[in-house]
Amino acid sequence: MGNRGMEELIPLVNRLQDALSTAGHDCSLRLPQIAVVGGQSTGKSSVLENFVGRDFLPRGSGIVTRRPLILQLLHCNAGEYGEFFHCSRKKFKDFNEIRKEIEAETQRLTGSNKCISPVPINLRIHSPHGLRTIGVITKLDLMDKGTDAREILENRLHPLRRGYIGVVNRSQKDIDGKKDIKAALLAEQKFFLTHPAYKHMAESMGTPYLQRILNQQLTNHIRDCLPAFRSHLQSQLSAVSKQAEEHRQSSPDNPARRTKILLQSVNSLASDFTELIEGSGENVDTTCLSGGARINKIFHERFPKELIKIESDETKLRQEINYAIRNIHGVRTGLFTPDLAFEAIVKKQITNLKDPCIKFIDMVSQELMTTLYRCISKLSSFPKLHNETERIVTAEIQRQESICRDQVLLLIDIQLAYINTKHEDFVGFTTVQQAFNQNKKLVVGIAGNQGVTPLSSLIVVRKGWLTINNIRIMKGGAREYWFILTAESLSWFKDDEEKEKKYMLSLDDLKFKDVEKGFMSTKYVFAIFNTESRNVYKDYKSLELACNTQEELDSWKASLLQAGVYPEKVTVDERGNGASENLRDPQLERQVETIRSLVDSYMSIIYKTVKDSMPKTIMHLMIKSVKEFIKSELLAQLYALGESSALMDESPEHRQHREEVFRKHAALTEALAVIGTISTSTCSTPVPPPVDTSGVEPSRRIISANSVTVGKTSVCNHAPSVPRGSSQSKATARLSRGGLHTNQPRRAPPPVPRRHPPAIQNVK
């Protein structure tokens, strides 16, 4: 048995599928399909086999659905989703999740022992595709005598927009007796022509009519879906056409084109490398820093942090200055601060710059390599060219790195060769000694008495917030103040605007000590006290000051040491290093403080110089040189290898990719041509008008036929046989896994006009 309309459509769809099978997953065809859905043993397999004309579906026994499923199909325009009554109206947009929820809800009530429960699962499907549902009534020949499904088939009971179609399938006895489908279709035709309830509608019943209806609906649906699919294929073809043209222009079999591609590849590499280093407005990476941006971060963030790391511990630095002064004086007692102590400490600090500077060069070199790898990745189609380019440029980067390292070390050695104490930014011995020897607000300015400079601007050691911790009983209790530590005093203000000064302590005879944290305290506390047992502040022998972190505490201690305020105890090692509490030399302490201030002043000049000169040196000797090498020398070195033709040998992956691009281009071109044929060779019928359900009542006469819904969406109905004589009882019609069944006495149907199925046009 054949179906001319379907037979004309299938070759076109098959051509389309065949064309797209070589075009890849992105262009796979997702055309609409017919779905046959029904309850157990309703005839789903028989309907499908009748369509195809062959026995091909497996048969079996057993039950999978163990609870009734009440499925309501609701038309909507807001997408497709499902709702379960037991899930508080949660929307399930993934139909796999709907299946899992049905299984879970069944398992929850019935367990895993194949038990059956009459409690239904209520599911609503909201879909814009409900207009394509066609109801199929099966097993009409098995209904009890005196009953029929006429009201359903005439679309008067539970009407559908496209109505119902009745079919008669082979029974299990027919299947066991090897009754072929052709004979079954003839028997089906005879059944409808001779049955008194169906013979007036026999021309719109049976499997052949159902085939023609489904063929028309499927054809119309495919045609409606094709414009969007055509647009998708056209965009794919546009992208593939560009790639195909590029591959045609780069044919590897032409020696002249090989040379041209080599030249273009090197020029493109130089351009890409320059753009990544210098920046470009095209193809901007918005996910992370790369190339020049990362090098800029190394220049201005990572390198300054490396310089900060080399700053010595304050206590250690003061101890080194102490030893230097005493070793320079030897057995003599020095009256003046020795210049050699300052120079020795400064040279040691400058020498310590070598390691972070070398690390700085290594970081930039590594970033250049990363940028190179990113650029040459485009040469992966030509493995030999890729490898040789990587080798040559890597060697050049390493060579320039070595030159740059030597130059940087030379710059540091230059700084070590001459300590310029006449630098305009250096405070000098005279200024520092005046600051410490005179308790004045102003001192003579630097550079030949050309003006005056406030003393506080030279000797302010630290500013920051501290909490006075032991004045809780006073008005206001413990609170934060803004503290300023200078070489002469410790002052605190109401806030950081420094307008309202609360108090100022002289640093003379002051020391500090640690204070244990309280049981509930989160602060880190230290105390300042007077060595002469005098009150340090009003009636208080000590002033407890609290910080929020251990780092702040350590920083304040270091600042107090710098200002000449020392801890309560000074340790003395086995060699006699260090000073005991009672053997402090005030003159030596003042010399240490002088050298400490001078070292800070001079090293600030060195740090400023290094932070300025290092990026310039690296930029000139490494980055600029590598850019120029790639632009001017790389091509010559590639030609010097003597095998420029072999450099352009394609990789197997690239050759395969090129062939796939050509194949995909041809497939997309053919697919679009086939779609044009389908679009112009199909016809459609208008969607039937909505059915009038206002006069339809839920209770009707006895029906024992089974129904299968064919279409995009479906209703699952399965009806067991109804006992005879039950037509005198009363009941309400319901939909369940058991099907549609009522027990109400038969009465005249309401005046709902029958809607005949639409006429079927021939499909060309």
Side-chain angles (χ1 to χ4, degrees), residues 165-303:
I165 298 174
V167 298
V168 176
N169 299 321
R170 293 177 298 170
S171 65
Q172 190 63 44
K173 180 179 179 181
D174 294 335
I175 295 173
D176 295 338
K178 305 299 183 182
K179 182 177 182 180
D180 62 20
I181 293 178
K182 183 176 182 180
L185 292 175
L186 291 175
E188 179 189 48
Q189 182 182 20
K190 180 179 179 181
F191 172 81
F192 285 113
L193 288 173
T194 58
H195 196 286
Y198 309 132
K199 62 182 180 180
H200 68 289
M201 61 180 88
E203 76 284 353
S204 59
M205 295 289 119
T207 301
Y209 179 77
L210 177 61
Q211 286 180 313
R212 295 197 301 273
I213 286 289
L214 293 178
N215 172 58
Q216 183 64 62
Q217 296 306 316
L218 179 60
T219 303
N220 294 344
H221 196 181
I222 291 175
R223 190 205 57 177
D224 293 339
C225 293
L226 285 179
F229 188 64
R230 182 195 295 112
S231 176
H232 173 69
L233 291 185
Q234 286 173 341
S235 64
Q236 292 287 322
L237 180 60
S238 177
V240 172
S241 296
K242 184 177 180 181
Q243 296 182 36
E245 183 62 27
E246 292 176 355
H247 284 296
R248 292 190 188 98
Q249 295 296 328
S250 60
S251 175
D253 301 327
N254 189 332
R257 289 197 177 276
R258 284 190 170 217
T259 303
K260 181 179 180 180
I261 296 170
L262 175 59
L263 178 61
Q264 290 176 340
S265 299
V266 173
N267 289 338
S268 177
L269 172 63
S271 176
D272 292 344
F273 189 85
T274 301
E275 286 184 359
L276 281 175
I277 295 298
E278 297 183 354
S280 172
E282 299 179 0
N283 303 320
V284 178
D285 189 347
T286 59
T287 58
C288 63
L289 296 179
S290 61
R294 290 182 61 86
I295 294 176
N296 180 274
K297 185 176 181 179
I298 294 172
F299 283 173
H300 302 294
E301 294 184 24
R302 298 186 64 181
F303 181 54

Side-chain angles (χ1 to χ4, degrees), residues 667-685:
L668 290 171
T669 302
E670 182 181 356
L672 286 170
V674 173
I675 289 177
T677 303
I678 295 176
S679 299
T680 58
S681 64
T682 59
C683 57
S684 65
T685 56

Side-chain angles (χ1 to χ4, degrees), residues 294-307 353-368 401 404-405 408 412 609-619 622-623:
R294 290 182 61 86
I295 294 176
N296 180 274
K297 185 176 181 179
I298 294 172
F299 283 173
H300 302 294
E301 294 184 24
R302 298 186 64 181
F303 181 54
K305 288 181 180 179
E306 293 298 324
L307 294 180
L353 292 174
K354 290 185 177 181
D355 287 342
C357 288
I358 296 301
K359 186 176 180 180
F360 179 36
I361 296 173
D362 292 340
M363 288 189 292
V364 175
S365 177
Q366 184 59 45
E367 196 56 48
L368 288 177
E401 178 185 350
C404 186
R405 184 182 293 108
V408 167
I412 295 177
T609 301
V610 170
K611 284 192 289 186
D612 180 66
S613 62
M614 280 291 295
K616 294 177 179 178
T617 303
I618 291 178
M619 193 71 190
M622 285 184 62
I623 300 174

